Amino acid sequence: MIKLKKGVLIMRLKDLRIDKDLYQKDIAKMLGMTQQQYSEYETEKRQIPTNCLIKLAIYYNTSVDYLIGITDEKKPYTKSKVISDNNYYVN
């Protein structure tokens, strides 16, 4: 069983956004939501849906595993780790 570190997702989302000199409203627009809705993700008032996590990982050129704290490797998975038919990642 994988034990996730509390707060890693929120910390990483904020850090990635700030590193790109973006505001919450910029990310919210990319996700097709209001700044208030996105703010609730960064303040842990609302859980982030899986489809948003995937969009964020693609946008930031990283993996969902990095965002949620399973790995500390920022780089996205290489093409060889992706099963292209189903878009699943394998270890």
Side-chain angles (χ1 to χ4, degrees):
M1 184 164 109
I2 298 171
K3 187 174 182 179
L4 300 178
K5 301 172 207 162
K6 186 168 175 60
V8 170
L9 171 62
I10 302 313
M11 179 185 67
R12 288 186 174 173
L13 286 178
K14 286 180 184 178
D15 288 346
L16 288 166
R17 178 176 55 77
I18 291 167
D19 286 348
K20 288 188 169 266
D21 295 323
L22 297 170
Y23 296 98
Q24 287 182 347
K25 67 179 180 179
D26 301 318
I27 302 302
K29 183 177 180 180
M30 183 271 298
L31 293 172
M33 63 181 61
T34 67
Q35 182 273 329
Q36 179 61 37
Q37 288 171 305
Y38 183 76
S39 173
E40 289 177 356
Y41 296 152
E42 280 197 8
T43 57
E44 296 186 286
K45 291 181 181 175
R46 182 184 289 205
Q47 286 190 336
I48 303 173
T50 305
N51 66 320
C52 287
L53 281 174
I54 293 167
K55 287 178 184 178
L56 288 163
I58 292 167
Y59 182 78
Y60 289 125
N61 195 33
T62 191
S63 68
V64 172
D65 285 357
Y66 173 75
L67 292 178
I68 64 175
I70 291 175
T71 183
D72 290 328
E73 179 63 45
K74 265 188 177 180
K75 292 181 184 177
Y77 291 114
T78 61
K79 298 275 187 220
S80 65
K81 289 192 175 187
V82 177
I83 301 173
S84 60
D85 292 342
N86 297 315
N87 292 327
Y88 290 114
Y89 292 104
V90 293
N91 295 326

